[in-house]
Amino acid sequence: MSGDVSASGERSVAAGGNIGWVHTGDRVTVLPAEATRPVRCPDGLVNVPRRSAHFVGRTAELDLLEGAEEPVVVCGLGGVGKSSLVARWALRQTAARNPVWWITAESRADVDAGLAGLAAAMQPELIDVLPQEALRERALQWLSTHDGWLLVLDNVTDPADVEGLLARAGQGRVVLTSRTTDAWYGIGRVLTLPVLAPDEAVELFGRVATHGGPRDTTGADRLCETLGQLPLAVEIAAAYCGRTATPPLAYLAELGRGGGRGNAEEAVARTLRVTLDRLDADLAAGGLLRLLAWFAPDRIPALLLPPMPGTREALGELAAHSMVTLHEDGSVSVHRLVQAVARRPDPEDPHREPGLVAQARLLAETALSYAVPQESEEPAHWETWRGLLPHVEAYLRHAGPEEDGEALLGTLVAAGAYLALNGLPEPALAVYERALTGAERLFGPDHPMALAVRGEMIGVLASVGREAEVVGMAAEVVRGTTRAFGADALATLLARRALARAHRLAGLFEEAVTLHQGVVADLIRVRGEVDRETLLALGELSGMYEAAGWTAEALMTCGYAMGNLWVQLGEDALDTLIARINLARIRARAGLTDQARADYQDLLPVCVRALGEDHPYTRVVADALAELDVKEQPAP
């Protein structure tokens, strides 16, 4: 790293120089040497999640993909086999291209997460170190300067979501899939994928139906025609016939209750109903499928699955009937069209009765609330968050804000914190705004939850360039907490600290100092001079003094807070150590090099004893001490 980043606040440690660490709120992350080196892609890096075991036809389309040099956009109906086609071709490229990387691209957030995943796969040691925005940028830089790679952007809904990536893509290959057939002018060659030819549909049916042994396939042509030769519907029907030894004509009779061919979604809906009529007699397969419908289609983690003994058995039956795909890591994938059907209430279908669909949505909300890590600022949880965030975002797309329940609010606040910490303030703000809407609807504007969400939004508003709103939002929180708890309540005093911080974010340094001084005075009056909250507020005030250029005041205030934290909490307490690190940093920046060096020398063995040699704060101290020693060396 280079440059100088100042930070202040409760339990904050700032980074500067080239000591290899970054500040994120009140946490410090130490960057390994790999973070400052060029990215190197390991050999054989392949991520192609969709592997169709039964693939027929599409020879001309595969040839077109092989011969094209510009980006290709594969368009067509849902369920027509766009992803299966591209996956088939992509797997053929692994011997000649590296990496071959698949990104679900339904939104810009999905694209960013997929790029971050690519960077993390190239350098796994950075997974719990760099935030998502930094990983995304590393991937883009690598793609822009290398060739011989293949990137698949699956299910793009808005070309604007991928324009930035394509502009920097360099000399590799990009293939996109989308249900949208227009709006691709100037982006790439459009390949519109039709349904299967009649003989290919029959061939697909036969392969799936006879996979477990010989079966009667008489009438398969009539059944496939009724299903419109849509590959997804044909495969679901064939899996049922093969699993239950049902002849196609008998299946057609069961299917006939729904009427004519209809559209693609209707064809899938009818096949799902026939299958679930059988499965739900013994298993809760329908309920499980309705639950999965609210998440993103790919790699739904085991964390989101019901922890019940019959869950795996039900998933096995759904997989055997080609309704889901199971992965070795315990995650599950579901076709988007299957999900869309399962989410759509239908009073005429007993498996999609409106009450059952609403119940599944509530279960999805509850599953998310149990799965997401609440301590989003901990880097150790970031890999878990990367796996869960697409499913949080998918739920928010599928469910309207008016349906959000109490269980979802904590999930949204935790997601907002993760996004903000990972350099994604705009999506963080969107999540916080939805949480605020839900909290105010459920509890009222002055409820502690609503006030807490507004408090979380303060820093994010400044990050997206809305500094003018920061002070107003913080003032609202102060007014609300005062009404709800009283002027001297800790919640109100902490809200006033946030208001002072908001003034600092808005560049009003002197006002920020004045407001924070008032908070400290009231904390001393209400809680005492040596209360932990008072001392932490003094530590934050020292950072504000430093930001305003009042170095003497910063040194005196930080020293007082540190000394009393040491007495109150002990030498090994984390709050004490952070205050000592901050004091050493202020001294170093003030030119008090000898004192700063002595501080770091005294701190190092304490950090090793209390935190361990590999703890981020221990490494911060060691690196800061090394940097001071380098600066003192005479120039050659």
Side-chain angles (χ1 to χ4, degrees):
M1 294 179 60
S2 62
D4 181 80
V5 182
S6 64
S8 66
E10 182 181 346
R11 304 183 63 178
S12 64
V13 181
N18 295 302
I19 59 175
W21 50 287
V22 295
H23 163 66
T24 55
D26 67 347
R27 302 293 177 187
V28 174
T29 299
V30 181
L31 302 185
E34 290 80 4
T36 58
R37 296 172 184 164
V39 179
R40 179 186 178 278
C41 182
D43 295 335
L45 187 58
V46 178
N47 171 41
V48 182
R50 296 186 181 274
R51 303 169 187 264
S52 178
H54 307 287
F55 187 90
V56 300
R58 310 300 197 192
T59 302
E61 289 84 357
L62 289 169
D63 289 343
L64 188 150
L65 287 171
E66 189 68 37
E69 296 182 0
E70 73 273 34
V72 176
V73 185
V74 182
C75 301
L77 295 170
V80 81
K82 301 181 295 294
S83 298
S84 294
L85 168 70
V86 175
R88 184 79 165 190
W89 175 76
L91 288 172
R92 295 179 178 179
Q93 307 303 306
T94 56
R97 295 185 177 276
N98 188 52
V100 176
W101 196 258
W102 189 285
I103 294 177
T104 298
E106 292 187 61
S107 67
R108 186 167 300 180
D110 287 338
V111 175
D112 290 345
L115 289 169
L118 172 59
M122 290 180 176
Q123 292 181 291
E125 62 273 16
L126 301 182
I127 289 176
D128 292 334
V129 174
L130 289 184
Q132 179 172 303
E133 180 66 18
L135 289 171
R136 167 190 170 276
E137 182 59 28
R138 289 176 76 80
L140 282 173
Q141 289 177 357
W142 188 91
L143 292 171
S144 67
T145 55
H146 292 78
D147 56 17
W149 47 263
L150 169 62
L151 202 61
V152 177
L153 304 175
D154 188 37
N155 201 46
V156 180
T157 55
D158 185 351
D161 292 339
V162 297
E163 284 179 349
L165 188 161
L166 295 176
R168 298 179 61 182
Q171 300 301 311
R173 281 293 309 273
V174 180
V175 175
L176 307 88
T177 74
S178 178
R179 296 187 190 183
T180 303
T181 57
D182 55 5
W184 297 109
Y185 178 77
I187 294 179
R189 180 173 182 176
V190 174
L191 167 60
T192 302
L193 194 64
V195 296
L196 292 172
D199 59 331
E200 292 174 341
V202 171
E203 181 184 353
L204 175 62
F205 183 94
R207 287 190 183 184
V208 176
T210 62
H211 183 69
R215 290 289 184 268
D216 179 6
T217 59
T218 304
D221 54 343
R222 290 176 55 191
L223 176 55
C224 292
E225 181 183 7
T226 301
L227 296 175
Q229 280 93 242
L230 186 74
L232 178 61
V234 170
E235 187 166 347
I236 293 173
Y240 179 92
C241 291
R243 187 77 169 172
T244 62
T246 301
L249 292 177
Y251 186 94
L252 190 58
E254 292 188 57
L255 197 66
R257 70 169 77 94
R261 285 172 57 167
N263 57 27
E265 188 168 317
E266 181 60 28
V268 171
R270 294 164 67 195
T271 57
L272 290 183
R273 178 169 179 174
V274 171
T275 300
L276 292 176
D277 277 346
R278 172 180 179 268
L279 293 183
D280 266 8
D282 303 310
L283 297 165
L288 188 55
L289 193 63
R290 288 189 294 272
L291 169 67
L292 298 174
W294 294 97
F295 303 132
D298 295 322
R299 298 281 181 178
I300 301 169
L303 283 171
L304 294 176
L305 301 177
M308 312 232 178
T311 295
R312 281 292 156 188
E313 182 183 3
L315 284 173
E317 286 296 316
L318 289 172
H321 286 81
S322 295
M323 299 169 80
V324 304
T325 301
L326 304 182
H327 303 287
E328 292 181 358
D329 61 0
S331 64
V332 185
S333 294
V334 192
H335 195 283
R336 293 176 182 86
L337 189 53
V338 171
Q339 289 183 306
V341 170
R343 283 194 311 271
R344 189 188 72 192
D346 183 356
E348 303 299 321
D349 186 340
H351 308 291
R352 295 187 290 136
E353 189 272 327
L356 292 177
V357 174
Q359 183 184 52
R361 180 187 59 76
L362 289 174
L363 289 174
E365 188 176 285
T366 302
L368 289 170
S369 71
Y370 281 110
V372 299
Q374 294 301 312
E375 295 183 354
S376 303
E377 75 277 8
E378 293 288 349
H381 295 312
W382 287 359
E383 186 173 9
T384 301
W385 261 114
R386 289 187 185 111
L388 288 171
L389 191 61
H391 305 289
V392 176
E393 293 172 335
Y395 178 87
L396 296 180
R397 286 196 298 269
H398 300 323
E402 70 282 355
E403 298 176 318
D404 292 349
E406 183 176 352
L408 187 66
L409 298 183
T411 299
L412 295 179
V413 172
Y418 168 77
L419 290 165
L421 285 165
N422 278 266
L424 303 167
E426 291 184 358
L429 182 58
V431 171
Y432 281 140
E433 287 175 336
R434 179 148 173 177
L436 181 60
T437 298
E440 291 181 338
R441 175 176 55 82
L442 292 170
F443 308 119
D446 287 340
H447 188 274
M449 174 60 78
L451 296 172
V453 175
R454 288 195 192 94
E456 296 290 339
M457 292 172 64
I458 292 171
V460 178
L461 284 170
S463 298
V464 299
R466 292 166 60 179
E467 293 89 348
E469 300 176 47
V470 171
V471 173
M473 176 72 73
E476 283 184 26
V477 176
V478 172
R479 287 192 292 268
T481 52
T482 302
R483 286 194 299 267
F485 307 110
D488 287 343
L490 179 60
T492 302
L493 295 172
L494 294 179
R496 288 173 57 195
R497 283 179 61 188
L499 177 60
R501 196 177 303 123
H503 280 75
R504 181 187 171 190
L505 291 171
L508 304 172
F509 295 113
E510 292 190 10
E511 292 88 339
V513 168
T514 300
L515 287 169
H516 208 93
Q517 286 172 332
V519 175
V520 169
D522 284 339
L523 279 168
I524 291 172
R525 175 178 58 82
V526 174
R527 301 182 67 89
E529 292 185 1
V530 294
D531 180 81
R532 176 178 177 273
E533 293 295 342
T534 302
L535 297 174
L536 293 177
L538 282 166
E540 184 171 8
L541 179 59
S542 72
M544 291 190 175
Y545 282 146
E546 184 185 13
W550 301 349
T551 303
E553 290 84 351
L555 286 168
M556 180 180 65
T557 306
C558 189
Y560 177 86
M562 182 275 294
N564 281 280
L565 285 169
W566 193 328
V567 172
Q568 294 296 319
L569 304 178
E571 181 183 23
D572 293 351
L574 190 59
D575 288 327
T576 304
L577 294 174
I578 291 174
R580 291 181 67 185
I581 295 172
N582 274 329
L583 180 59
R585 171 182 53 79
I586 295 172
R587 284 173 171 166
R589 290 188 174 184
L592 304 173
T593 306
D594 291 340
Q595 285 182 273
R597 182 185 291 104
D599 288 342
Y600 286 130
Q601 288 172 338
D602 290 342
L603 265 168
L604 188 57
V606 179
C607 289
V608 171
R609 181 184 70 246
L611 304 175
E613 293 184 1
D614 296 327
H615 192 279
Y617 291 148
T618 305
R619 295 171 65 182
V620 162
V621 172
D623 289 345
L625 183 59
E627 183 181 337
L628 286 177
D629 290 339
V630 168
K631 286 183 177 179
E632 288 298 305
Q633 291 179 1

